[in-house]
Amino acid sequence: MSRVCGAAAPGIARCLAVVRTDVHAGKGARSASSPPPGYGPADLRSAYALPATGGSGQTVAVVDMGDDPTAEADLAVYRATYGLPPCTTANGCFRKVNEQGAAGPLPPDFGWDVEISLDLDMASAACSACRLLLVESDQPTLQDLAAAVDSAVAQGANEVSNSYGAEESGDMQPLETHYNHPGVAILAGSGDGGYGVPNYPAVFPSVIAVGGTTLNKATNTRGWRESAWKGTSSGCSAWIAKPSWQHDPNCPGRMTADVAANADPQTGPAVYDTDNQQPGWLVGGGTSASSPFIAGVIALAGNPQSFPNASYLYAHANALHDITTGGNGGNSITAFDCGGDYQCNALPGYDGPTGNGTPNGIAAF
């Protein structure tokens, strides 16, 4: 496995995409009889009992750093391969804008192309009828990404997914207002470093923090088996007070995550991207996959106004798949072990790695 983006320097976020280095399946659209490796939209709809229709009129925005010059063309190949309707600039479904919300000039390419393709593909997998808005920050700073979120909302986004992060600190708090847009669901990946310091912007109380799972086909009633992905991040904030709707017992501050979906690259989705060193079909993951996917699920349900924060998920937790196995403690040089506590272990009810659970239809959304 390989992280798409390197370590974050001070004041800089890194993307949270992870890809398998052992899977490269060539370029070009594939047929239903010879699909690319990795889960496709039908697999994910099956795993999460999602309807095949819905989301008309919703716009899912993904905020990323820098330009991906092949984003629209790569998206076309992904959607054609899986029989999804075209989503193009010409038909009004796809738009790409800079940090100010303008069609140009676009920023330089900062190497986030795989991240951008993963974001667009996962939003498409969850909600094929949704419009897609790609907002590209002009510079690789936390301030620029926060401004891009404001532009996404100003451009009409109903859901905004942020697949990037940096460890929380006191310096982040002036940026909190940029992630607070009542009426629009703002989501962020919880991270890919295991249990420890929570990530900005997922830790903000107005943001839905999306964790990750490992998803395998099974012979049980559901047809799938799901556990906490060992790489997903969770943590207890030292800076953000606990929201009134969060009641876990051992963290006095904001706890991440709130909800989860498949993020393990070993059981990851197919991704198509040609603007990289090994272009074509890849198998990806990280909470960079789960965040835009959950944004698409909210769009599919058509209920973004219920998500000024994650409280709706806590009130409807019984409509989610409760993930009760796996954990993310002590799995890497940067991850801590919380013992048997819910903060780093998937247990019945709420837990840090998977939040309240994963989608089981759209009733919780």
Side-chain angles (χ1 to χ4, degrees), residues 132-204:
L132 298 175
L133 172 64
L134 169 59
V135 184
E136 301 179 331
S137 75
D138 295 344
Q139 295 294 328
T141 71
L142 301 181
Q143 289 79 7
D144 284 275
L145 287 162
V149 173
D150 291 333
S151 287
V153 175
Q155 291 295 309
N158 305 105
E159 300 83 17
V160 181
S161 175
N162 303 277
S163 292
Y164 55 84
E167 286 191 354
E168 71 165 1
S169 69
D171 295 337
M172 71 185 181
Q173 290 177 288
L175 300 175
E176 183 174 350
T177 183
H178 297 280
Y179 295 87
N180 187 1
H181 294 276
V184 178
I186 310 294
L187 304 91
S190 67
D192 57 13
Y195 172 66
V197 178
N199 276 304
Y200 152 99
V203 73
F204 289 150

Short mmCIF file of all heavy atoms in Angstrom, two decimals, residues 132-204:
data_model
loop_
_atom_site.label_atom_id
_atom_site.label_comp_id
_atom_site.label_asym_id
_atom_site.label_seq_id
_atom_site.Cartn_x
_atom_site.Cartn_y
_atom_site.Cartn_z
N LEU A 132 -21.85 16.85 -9.85
CA LEU A 132 -20.55 16.83 -9.18
C LEU A 132 -19.84 18.16 -9.40
O LEU A 132 -19.78 18.67 -10.52
CB LEU A 132 -19.68 15.69 -9.72
CG LEU A 132 -20.23 14.28 -9.51
CD1 LEU A 132 -19.32 13.26 -10.18
CD2 LEU A 132 -20.37 13.96 -8.03
N LEU A 133 -19.30 18.70 -8.31
CA LEU A 133 -18.56 19.96 -8.35
C LEU A 133 -17.18 19.72 -7.76
O LEU A 133 -17.06 19.34 -6.59
CB LEU A 133 -19.31 21.03 -7.54
CG LEU A 133 -18.59 22.36 -7.32
CD1 LEU A 133 -18.35 23.09 -8.63
CD2 LEU A 133 -19.39 23.25 -6.35
N LEU A 134 -16.15 19.92 -8.56
CA LEU A 134 -14.77 19.80 -8.10
C LEU A 134 -14.22 21.20 -7.85
O LEU A 134 -14.14 22.02 -8.78
CB LEU A 134 -13.93 19.07 -9.15
CG LEU A 134 -12.41 19.07 -8.96
CD1 LEU A 134 -12.01 18.44 -7.63
CD2 LEU A 134 -11.73 18.36 -10.13
N VAL A 135 -13.86 21.48 -6.60
CA VAL A 135 -13.30 22.78 -6.24
C VAL A 135 -11.83 22.58 -5.91
O VAL A 135 -11.48 21.83 -4.99
CB VAL A 135 -14.03 23.41 -5.04
CG1 VAL A 135 -13.49 24.81 -4.77
CG2 VAL A 135 -15.53 23.48 -5.30
N GLU A 136 -10.96 23.25 -6.66
CA GLU A 136 -9.52 23.06 -6.55
C GLU A 136 -8.87 24.27 -5.88
O GLU A 136 -8.94 25.38 -6.40
CB GLU A 136 -8.92 22.83 -7.94
CG GLU A 136 -9.52 21.62 -8.65
CD GLU A 136 -8.95 21.41 -10.04
OE1 GLU A 136 -8.55 22.40 -10.69
OE2 GLU A 136 -8.89 20.25 -10.47
N SER A 137 -8.25 24.04 -4.73
CA SER A 137 -7.63 25.16 -4.02
C SER A 137 -6.42 25.66 -4.80
O SER A 137 -5.71 24.91 -5.47
CB SER A 137 -7.22 24.75 -2.61
OG SER A 137 -6.07 23.95 -2.61
N ASP A 138 -6.17 26.98 -4.67
CA ASP A 138 -5.10 27.60 -5.43
C ASP A 138 -3.72 27.28 -4.88
O ASP A 138 -2.74 27.24 -5.62
CB ASP A 138 -5.29 29.13 -5.43
CG ASP A 138 -6.55 29.56 -6.16
OD1 ASP A 138 -7.11 28.73 -6.90
OD2 ASP A 138 -6.97 30.71 -5.97
N GLN A 139 -3.64 27.09 -3.57
CA GLN A 139 -2.37 26.83 -2.91
C GLN A 139 -2.55 25.69 -1.90
O GLN A 139 -3.66 25.46 -1.41
CB GLN A 139 -1.86 28.09 -2.20
CG GLN A 139 -1.51 29.25 -3.11
CD GLN A 139 -0.32 28.95 -4.00
OE1 GLN A 139 0.59 28.23 -3.61
NE2 GLN A 139 -0.31 29.51 -5.21
N PRO A 140 -1.46 25.03 -1.54
CA PRO A 140 -1.56 23.88 -0.63
C PRO A 140 -1.54 24.28 0.85
O PRO A 140 -0.71 23.80 1.62
CB PRO A 140 -0.33 23.05 -1.00
CG PRO A 140 0.68 24.05 -1.43
CD PRO A 140 -0.10 25.14 -2.13
N THR A 141 -2.47 25.15 1.25
CA THR A 141 -2.50 25.58 2.65
C THR A 141 -3.87 25.29 3.24
O THR A 141 -4.87 25.19 2.52
CB THR A 141 -2.21 27.09 2.80
OG1 THR A 141 -3.32 27.83 2.29
CG2 THR A 141 -0.95 27.48 2.05
N LEU A 142 -3.92 25.21 4.57
CA LEU A 142 -5.19 25.00 5.25
C LEU A 142 -6.15 26.15 4.97
O LEU A 142 -7.35 25.95 4.82
CB LEU A 142 -4.95 24.86 6.75
CG LEU A 142 -4.02 23.73 7.21
CD1 LEU A 142 -3.91 23.71 8.73
CD2 LEU A 142 -4.50 22.38 6.70
N GLN A 143 -5.61 27.36 4.90
CA GLN A 143 -6.46 28.52 4.64
C GLN A 143 -7.09 28.46 3.25
O GLN A 143 -8.27 28.80 3.08
CB GLN A 143 -5.64 29.81 4.79
CG GLN A 143 -5.24 30.14 6.22
CD GLN A 143 -4.04 29.33 6.72
OE1 GLN A 143 -3.40 28.61 5.95
NE2 GLN A 143 -3.73 29.47 8.00
N ASP A 144 -6.32 28.03 2.26
CA ASP A 144 -6.86 27.95 0.91
C ASP A 144 -7.92 26.86 0.81
O ASP A 144 -8.95 27.05 0.13
CB ASP A 144 -5.72 27.67 -0.08
CG ASP A 144 -4.89 28.91 -0.36
OD1 ASP A 144 -5.28 29.69 -1.23
OD2 ASP A 144 -3.86 29.10 0.30
N LEU A 145 -7.71 25.73 1.44
CA LEU A 145 -8.70 24.66 1.41
C LEU A 145 -9.99 25.10 2.11
O LEU A 145 -11.09 24.81 1.64
CB LEU A 145 -8.14 23.40 2.06
CG LEU A 145 -7.09 22.67 1.21
CD1 LEU A 145 -6.27 21.72 2.09
CD2 LEU A 145 -7.73 21.92 0.06
N ALA A 146 -9.85 25.82 3.22
CA ALA A 146 -11.03 26.33 3.92
C ALA A 146 -11.80 27.31 3.04
O ALA A 146 -13.04 27.27 2.99
CB ALA A 146 -10.62 26.99 5.23
N ALA A 147 -11.09 28.17 2.33
CA ALA A 147 -11.75 29.11 1.42
C ALA A 147 -12.46 28.37 0.29
O ALA A 147 -13.53 28.78 -0.18
CB ALA A 147 -10.73 30.09 0.84
N ALA A 148 -11.88 27.24 -0.15
CA ALA A 148 -12.50 26.44 -1.20
C ALA A 148 -13.82 25.83 -0.74
O ALA A 148 -14.74 25.66 -1.54
CB ALA A 148 -11.53 25.36 -1.67
N VAL A 149 -13.92 25.50 0.56
CA VAL A 149 -15.18 25.00 1.10
C VAL A 149 -16.25 26.08 0.99
O VAL A 149 -17.39 25.82 0.58
CB VAL A 149 -15.01 24.53 2.55
CG1 VAL A 149 -16.36 24.16 3.17
CG2 VAL A 149 -14.06 23.34 2.63
N ASP A 150 -15.91 27.31 1.36
CA ASP A 150 -16.86 28.42 1.23
C ASP A 150 -17.31 28.58 -0.22
O ASP A 150 -18.49 28.82 -0.48
CB ASP A 150 -16.22 29.72 1.70
CG ASP A 150 -15.97 29.76 3.21
OD1 ASP A 150 -16.70 29.06 3.93
OD2 ASP A 150 -15.05 30.48 3.64
N SER A 151 -16.38 28.44 -1.16
CA SER A 151 -16.73 28.57 -2.57
C SER A 151 -17.65 27.44 -3.02
O SER A 151 -18.57 27.66 -3.82
CB SER A 151 -15.47 28.59 -3.44
OG SER A 151 -14.79 29.83 -3.30
N ALA A 152 -17.41 26.22 -2.51
CA ALA A 152 -18.27 25.10 -2.86
C ALA A 152 -19.71 25.38 -2.46
O ALA A 152 -20.65 25.14 -3.23
CB ALA A 152 -17.77 23.82 -2.19
N VAL A 153 -19.88 25.92 -1.26
CA VAL A 153 -21.22 26.25 -0.79
C VAL A 153 -21.82 27.38 -1.62
O VAL A 153 -22.99 27.33 -2.03
CB VAL A 153 -21.18 26.62 0.71
CG1 VAL A 153 -22.55 27.10 1.18
CG2 VAL A 153 -20.71 25.42 1.54
N ALA A 154 -21.02 28.39 -1.91
CA ALA A 154 -21.50 29.52 -2.71
C ALA A 154 -21.90 29.10 -4.11
O ALA A 154 -22.78 29.71 -4.73
CB ALA A 154 -20.42 30.60 -2.78
N GLN A 155 -21.29 28.02 -4.61
CA GLN A 155 -21.59 27.52 -5.95
C GLN A 155 -22.77 26.55 -5.95
O GLN A 155 -23.08 25.95 -6.98
CB GLN A 155 -20.36 26.84 -6.54
CG GLN A 155 -19.22 27.78 -6.87
CD GLN A 155 -19.59 28.76 -7.97
OE1 GLN A 155 -20.08 28.37 -9.02
NE2 GLN A 155 -19.39 30.04 -7.72
N GLY A 156 -23.42 26.36 -4.80
CA GLY A 156 -24.64 25.58 -4.76
C GLY A 156 -24.52 24.16 -4.29
O GLY A 156 -25.46 23.37 -4.44
N ALA A 157 -23.40 23.79 -3.70
CA ALA A 157 -23.25 22.43 -3.21
C ALA A 157 -24.22 22.14 -2.07
O ALA A 157 -24.45 22.98 -1.20
CB ALA A 157 -21.82 22.19 -2.73
N ASN A 158 -24.78 20.95 -2.07
CA ASN A 158 -25.63 20.49 -0.97
C ASN A 158 -24.84 19.66 0.03
O ASN A 158 -25.20 19.60 1.21
CB ASN A 158 -26.77 19.64 -1.51
CG ASN A 158 -27.60 20.34 -2.56
OD1 ASN A 158 -27.48 20.06 -3.74
ND2 ASN A 158 -28.42 21.29 -2.13
N GLU A 159 -23.79 19.01 -0.45
CA GLU A 159 -22.88 18.21 0.38
C GLU A 159 -21.46 18.54 -0.06
O GLU A 159 -21.19 18.67 -1.27
CB GLU A 159 -23.12 16.70 0.20
CG GLU A 159 -24.51 16.23 0.58
CD GLU A 159 -25.55 16.41 -0.51
OE1 GLU A 159 -25.15 16.61 -1.68
OE2 GLU A 159 -26.77 16.37 -0.20
N VAL A 160 -20.55 18.69 0.91
CA VAL A 160 -19.16 19.01 0.60
C VAL A 160 -18.27 18.01 1.31
O VAL A 160 -18.29 17.91 2.55
CB VAL A 160 -18.79 20.44 1.05
CG1 VAL A 160 -17.34 20.74 0.67
CG2 VAL A 160 -19.73 21.47 0.44
N SER A 161 -17.48 17.26 0.54
CA SER A 161 -16.58 16.26 1.10
C SER A 161 -15.15 16.77 1.06
O SER A 161 -14.69 17.31 0.04
CB SER A 161 -16.69 14.95 0.32
OG SER A 161 -15.74 14.01 0.79
N ASN A 162 -14.44 16.56 2.17
CA ASN A 162 -13.05 17.00 2.32
C ASN A 162 -12.19 15.79 2.69
O ASN A 162 -12.24 15.31 3.82
CB ASN A 162 -12.95 18.06 3.41
CG ASN A 162 -13.85 19.25 3.13
OD1 ASN A 162 -13.49 20.15 2.39
ND2 ASN A 162 -15.05 19.25 3.71
N SER A 163 -11.41 15.32 1.73
CA SER A 163 -10.60 14.11 1.95
C SER A 163 -9.15 14.49 2.23
O SER A 163 -8.23 14.05 1.55
CB SER A 163 -10.69 13.18 0.74
OG SER A 163 -11.98 12.64 0.62
N TYR A 164 -8.97 15.33 3.22
CA TYR A 164 -7.63 15.76 3.60
C TYR A 164 -7.63 16.04 5.10
O TYR A 164 -8.69 16.11 5.75
CB TYR A 164 -7.21 17.02 2.84
CG TYR A 164 -8.19 18.18 2.96
CD1 TYR A 164 -8.15 19.04 4.04
CD2 TYR A 164 -9.18 18.37 2.01
CE1 TYR A 164 -9.06 20.08 4.17
CE2 TYR A 164 -10.08 19.40 2.11
CZ TYR A 164 -10.03 20.25 3.20
OH TYR A 164 -10.94 21.27 3.31
N GLY A 165 -6.44 16.19 5.66
CA GLY A 165 -6.39 16.45 7.09
C GLY A 165 -5.01 16.85 7.56
O GLY A 165 -4.01 16.74 6.84
N ALA A 166 -4.98 17.33 8.79
CA ALA A 166 -3.75 17.63 9.51
C ALA A 166 -4.07 17.47 10.99
O ALA A 166 -5.23 17.64 11.40
CB ALA A 166 -3.29 19.06 9.22
N GLU A 167 -3.10 17.13 11.79
CA GLU A 167 -3.34 16.95 13.22
C GLU A 167 -3.88 18.24 13.83
O GLU A 167 -3.43 19.34 13.50
CB GLU A 167 -2.07 16.52 13.94
CG GLU A 167 -1.67 15.08 13.69
CD GLU A 167 -0.58 14.62 14.62
OE1 GLU A 167 -0.03 15.45 15.40
OE2 GLU A 167 -0.25 13.42 14.60
N GLU A 168 -4.88 18.09 14.70
CA GLU A 168 -5.49 19.26 15.31
C GLU A 168 -4.47 20.05 16.14
O GLU A 168 -3.50 19.49 16.68
CB GLU A 168 -6.66 18.85 16.21
CG GLU A 168 -6.26 18.16 17.49
CD GLU A 168 -7.38 18.10 18.52
OE1 GLU A 168 -8.49 18.57 18.26
OE2 GLU A 168 -7.11 17.58 19.61
N SER A 169 -4.72 21.35 16.25
CA SER A 169 -3.90 22.23 17.08
C SER A 169 -4.71 23.48 17.37
O SER A 169 -5.76 23.72 16.76
CB SER A 169 -2.60 22.61 16.38
OG SER A 169 -2.87 23.47 15.28
N GLY A 170 -4.22 24.31 18.27
CA GLY A 170 -4.91 25.55 18.57
C GLY A 170 -4.96 26.50 17.40
O GLY A 170 -5.86 27.35 17.31
N ASP A 171 -4.02 26.35 16.46
CA ASP A 171 -3.98 27.24 15.30
C ASP A 171 -5.14 27.04 14.35
O ASP A 171 -5.44 27.90 13.51
CB ASP A 171 -2.67 27.04 14.54
CG ASP A 171 -1.45 27.43 15.36
OD1 ASP A 171 -1.61 28.23 16.30
OD2 ASP A 171 -0.35 26.93 15.05
N MET A 172 -5.81 25.87 14.44
CA MET A 172 -6.85 25.56 13.47
C MET A 172 -8.17 26.27 13.77
O MET A 172 -9.01 26.43 12.89
CB MET A 172 -7.12 24.05 13.45
CG MET A 172 -7.82 23.56 14.70
SD MET A 172 -8.01 21.78 14.75
CE MET A 172 -8.88 21.61 16.33
N GLN A 173 -8.38 26.69 15.01
CA GLN A 173 -9.70 27.13 15.42
C GLN A 173 -10.23 28.35 14.67
O GLN A 173 -11.44 28.43 14.42
CB GLN A 173 -9.72 27.35 16.94
CG GLN A 173 -9.64 26.01 17.68
CD GLN A 173 -9.58 26.15 19.17
OE1 GLN A 173 -8.58 26.56 19.74
NE2 GLN A 173 -10.68 25.80 19.82
N PRO A 174 -9.39 29.31 14.24
CA PRO A 174 -9.94 30.41 13.43
C PRO A 174 -10.56 29.95 12.11
O PRO A 174 -11.33 30.70 11.50
CB PRO A 174 -8.73 31.31 13.19
CG PRO A 174 -7.81 31.02 14.34
CD PRO A 174 -7.99 29.56 14.61
N LEU A 175 -10.24 28.73 11.65
CA LEU A 175 -10.78 28.23 10.38
C LEU A 175 -12.11 27.53 10.54
O LEU A 175 -12.75 27.17 9.55
CB LEU A 175 -9.77 27.28 9.73
CG LEU A 175 -8.40 27.87 9.40
CD1 LEU A 175 -7.47 26.79 8.87
CD2 LEU A 175 -8.53 29.00 8.39
N GLU A 176 -12.57 27.34 11.78
CA GLU A 176 -13.76 26.54 12.03
C GLU A 176 -14.99 27.09 11.31
O GLU A 176 -15.82 26.33 10.79
CB GLU A 176 -14.02 26.46 13.53
CG GLU A 176 -15.20 25.59 13.90
CD GLU A 176 -15.33 25.41 15.41
OE1 GLU A 176 -14.41 25.81 16.15
OE2 GLU A 176 -16.36 24.87 15.84
N THR A 177 -15.12 28.40 11.23
CA THR A 177 -16.31 29.00 10.63
C THR A 177 -16.47 28.62 9.15
O THR A 177 -17.57 28.57 8.62
CB THR A 177 -16.28 30.53 10.78
OG1 THR A 177 -17.48 31.08 10.25
CG2 THR A 177 -15.10 31.14 10.04
N HIS A 178 -15.35 28.32 8.48
CA HIS A 178 -15.41 27.96 7.06
C HIS A 178 -16.07 26.59 6.84
O HIS A 178 -16.45 26.27 5.70
CB HIS A 178 -14.01 27.95 6.46
CG HIS A 178 -13.34 29.29 6.48
ND1 HIS A 178 -13.60 30.27 5.56
CD2 HIS A 178 -12.42 29.81 7.34
CE1 HIS A 178 -12.87 31.34 5.83
NE2 HIS A 178 -12.15 31.09 6.90
N TYR A 179 -16.17 25.81 7.89
CA TYR A 179 -16.75 24.46 7.80
C TYR A 179 -18.12 24.39 8.48
O TYR A 179 -18.60 23.30 8.76
CB TYR A 179 -15.79 23.45 8.42
CG TYR A 179 -14.49 23.33 7.65
CD1 TYR A 179 -13.42 24.18 7.93
CD2 TYR A 179 -14.34 22.39 6.65
CE1 TYR A 179 -12.24 24.09 7.21
CE2 TYR A 179 -13.16 22.30 5.93
CZ TYR A 179 -12.11 23.15 6.21
OH TYR A 179 -10.94 23.06 5.49
N ASN A 180 -18.71 25.54 8.68
CA ASN A 180 -20.02 25.61 9.34
C ASN A 180 -21.00 26.31 8.41
O ASN A 180 -21.03 27.54 8.32
CB ASN A 180 -19.90 26.36 10.67
CG ASN A 180 -21.18 26.33 11.48
OD1 ASN A 180 -22.17 25.74 11.06
ND2 ASN A 180 -21.16 26.96 12.63
N HIS A 181 -21.81 25.51 7.70
CA HIS A 181 -22.75 26.05 6.72
C HIS A 181 -24.09 25.34 6.90
O HIS A 181 -24.40 24.38 6.17
CB HIS A 181 -22.23 25.85 5.30
CG HIS A 181 -20.99 26.62 4.99
ND1 HIS A 181 -21.02 27.94 4.60
CD2 HIS A 181 -19.68 26.27 5.03
CE1 HIS A 181 -19.77 28.37 4.40
NE2 HIS A 181 -18.95 27.37 4.65
N PRO A 182 -24.92 25.74 7.87
CA PRO A 182 -26.21 25.09 8.08
C PRO A 182 -27.01 25.02 6.78
O PRO A 182 -27.08 25.99 6.01
CB PRO A 182 -26.89 26.00 9.11
CG PRO A 182 -25.75 26.60 9.87
CD PRO A 182 -24.67 26.83 8.85
N GLY A 183 -27.60 23.86 6.55
CA GLY A 183 -28.30 23.60 5.30
C GLY A 183 -27.48 22.81 4.31
O GLY A 183 -28.01 22.25 3.35
N VAL A 184 -26.15 22.78 4.55
CA VAL A 184 -25.23 22.02 3.70
C VAL A 184 -24.49 21.03 4.58
O VAL A 184 -23.99 21.39 5.66
CB VAL A 184 -24.22 22.96 3.00
CG1 VAL A 184 -23.22 22.16 2.17
CG2 VAL A 184 -24.95 23.98 2.14
N ALA A 185 -24.42 19.78 4.16
CA ALA A 185 -23.70 18.76 4.93
C ALA A 185 -22.22 18.85 4.59
O ALA A 185 -21.83 18.72 3.42
CB ALA A 185 -24.24 17.38 4.60
N ILE A 186 -21.39 19.08 5.61
CA ILE A 186 -19.94 19.16 5.44
C ILE A 186 -19.32 17.91 6.04
O ILE A 186 -19.55 17.60 7.22
CB ILE A 186 -19.35 20.41 6.12
CG1 ILE A 186 -20.12 21.68 5.73
CG2 ILE A 186 -17.87 20.52 5.80
CD1 ILE A 186 -20.00 22.06 4.28
N LEU A 187 -18.54 17.18 5.25
CA LEU A 187 -17.94 15.93 5.70
C LEU A 187 -16.43 15.97 5.53
O LEU A 187 -15.90 16.70 4.69
CB LEU A 187 -18.49 14.74 4.89
CG LEU A 187 -20.00 14.55 4.87
CD1 LEU A 187 -20.64 15.29 3.69
CD2 LEU A 187 -20.37 13.08 4.81
N ALA A 188 -15.74 15.15 6.33
CA ALA A 188 -14.29 15.02 6.20
C ALA A 188 -13.86 13.63 6.64
O ALA A 188 -14.42 13.07 7.58
CB ALA A 188 -13.57 16.08 7.02
N GLY A 189 -12.87 13.10 5.97
CA GLY A 189 -12.29 11.83 6.38
C GLY A 189 -11.61 11.97 7.73
O GLY A 189 -10.95 12.98 8.01
N SER A 190 -11.75 10.95 8.58
CA SER A 190 -11.15 11.01 9.91
C SER A 190 -9.64 10.85 9.87
O SER A 190 -8.95 11.22 10.81
CB SER A 190 -11.76 9.95 10.82
OG SER A 190 -11.41 8.64 10.39
N GLY A 191 -9.11 10.26 8.79
CA GLY A 191 -7.67 10.08 8.67
C GLY A 191 -7.30 8.63 8.42
O GLY A 191 -8.15 7.74 8.40
N ASP A 192 -6.00 8.39 8.25
CA ASP A 192 -5.52 7.05 7.93
C ASP A 192 -4.31 6.64 8.77
O ASP A 192 -3.51 5.82 8.35
CB ASP A 192 -5.18 6.95 6.44
CG ASP A 192 -4.14 7.98 6.00
OD1 ASP A 192 -3.50 8.60 6.87
OD2 ASP A 192 -3.97 8.16 4.79
N GLY A 193 -4.20 7.22 9.98
CA GLY A 193 -3.03 6.96 10.82
C GLY A 193 -3.31 6.17 12.08
O GLY A 193 -2.45 6.09 12.96
N GLY A 194 -4.50 5.58 12.21
CA GLY A 194 -4.82 4.84 13.43
C GLY A 194 -5.24 5.77 14.56
O GLY A 194 -5.43 6.97 14.38
N TYR A 195 -5.37 5.20 15.75
CA TYR A 195 -5.84 5.95 16.91
C TYR A 195 -4.76 6.92 17.40
O TYR A 195 -3.58 6.58 17.50
CB TYR A 195 -6.20 4.98 18.04
CG TYR A 195 -6.51 5.64 19.36
CD1 TYR A 195 -7.62 6.45 19.51
CD2 TYR A 195 -5.67 5.46 20.46
CE1 TYR A 195 -7.92 7.06 20.71
CE2 TYR A 195 -5.96 6.07 21.67
CZ TYR A 195 -7.08 6.86 21.79
OH TYR A 195 -7.35 7.46 22.99
N GLY A 196 -5.19 8.15 17.72
CA GLY A 196 -4.23 9.13 18.22
C GLY A 196 -4.83 10.52 18.22
O GLY A 196 -5.99 10.71 18.57
N VAL A 197 -4.04 11.50 17.79
CA VAL A 197 -4.51 12.88 17.73
C VAL A 197 -5.52 13.00 16.60
O VAL A 197 -5.25 12.60 15.46
CB VAL A 197 -3.33 13.84 17.48
CG1 VAL A 197 -3.83 15.29 17.38
CG2 VAL A 197 -2.29 13.71 18.59
N PRO A 198 -6.72 13.53 16.87
CA PRO A 198 -7.72 13.66 15.79
C PRO A 198 -7.29 14.66 14.74
O PRO A 198 -6.42 15.51 14.97
CB PRO A 198 -8.98 14.10 16.52
CG PRO A 198 -8.53 14.67 17.81
CD PRO A 198 -7.24 13.98 18.17
N ASN A 199 -7.89 14.54 13.58
CA ASN A 199 -7.52 15.35 12.43
C ASN A 199 -8.46 16.53 12.23
O ASN A 199 -9.68 16.43 12.42
CB ASN A 199 -7.54 14.50 11.16
CG ASN A 199 -6.24 13.74 10.96
OD1 ASN A 199 -5.17 14.33 10.91
ND2 ASN A 199 -6.33 12.43 10.85
N TYR A 200 -7.89 17.65 11.83
CA TYR A 200 -8.61 18.79 11.26
C TYR A 200 -8.88 18.45 9.80
O TYR A 200 -8.01 17.85 9.14
CB TYR A 200 -7.73 20.04 11.36
CG TYR A 200 -7.98 21.08 10.30
CD1 TYR A 200 -8.76 22.19 10.56
CD2 TYR A 200 -7.43 20.95 9.02
CE1 TYR A 200 -9.00 23.15 9.59
CE2 TYR A 200 -7.68 21.90 8.04
CZ TYR A 200 -8.46 23.00 8.33
OH TYR A 200 -8.69 23.93 7.36
N PRO A 201 -10.01 18.76 9.19
CA PRO A 201 -11.18 19.44 9.76
C PRO A 201 -12.23 18.50 10.34
O PRO A 201 -13.29 18.96 10.77
CB PRO A 201 -11.74 20.19 8.56
CG PRO A 201 -11.47 19.28 7.40
CD PRO A 201 -10.13 18.65 7.71
N ALA A 202 -11.97 17.17 10.34
CA ALA A 202 -12.98 16.22 10.81
C ALA A 202 -13.40 16.47 12.24
O ALA A 202 -14.52 16.17 12.64
CB ALA A 202 -12.45 14.79 10.67
N VAL A 203 -12.49 17.05 13.04
CA VAL A 203 -12.76 17.23 14.47
C VAL A 203 -13.71 18.40 14.75
O VAL A 203 -14.27 18.48 15.85
CB VAL A 203 -11.42 17.40 15.23
CG1 VAL A 203 -10.82 18.78 14.94
CG2 VAL A 203 -11.57 17.16 16.71
N PHE A 204 -13.93 19.28 13.80
CA PHE A 204 -14.84 20.40 14.05
C PHE A 204 -16.25 19.88 14.32
O PHE A 204 -16.71 18.93 13.67
CB PHE A 204 -14.86 21.36 12.86
CG PHE A 204 -13.62 22.18 12.69
CD1 PHE A 204 -13.21 22.59 11.43
CD2 PHE A 204 -12.85 22.57 13.77
CE1 PHE A 204 -12.08 23.36 11.25
CE2 PHE A 204 -11.70 23.34 13.62
CZ PHE A 204 -11.31 23.73 12.35
#
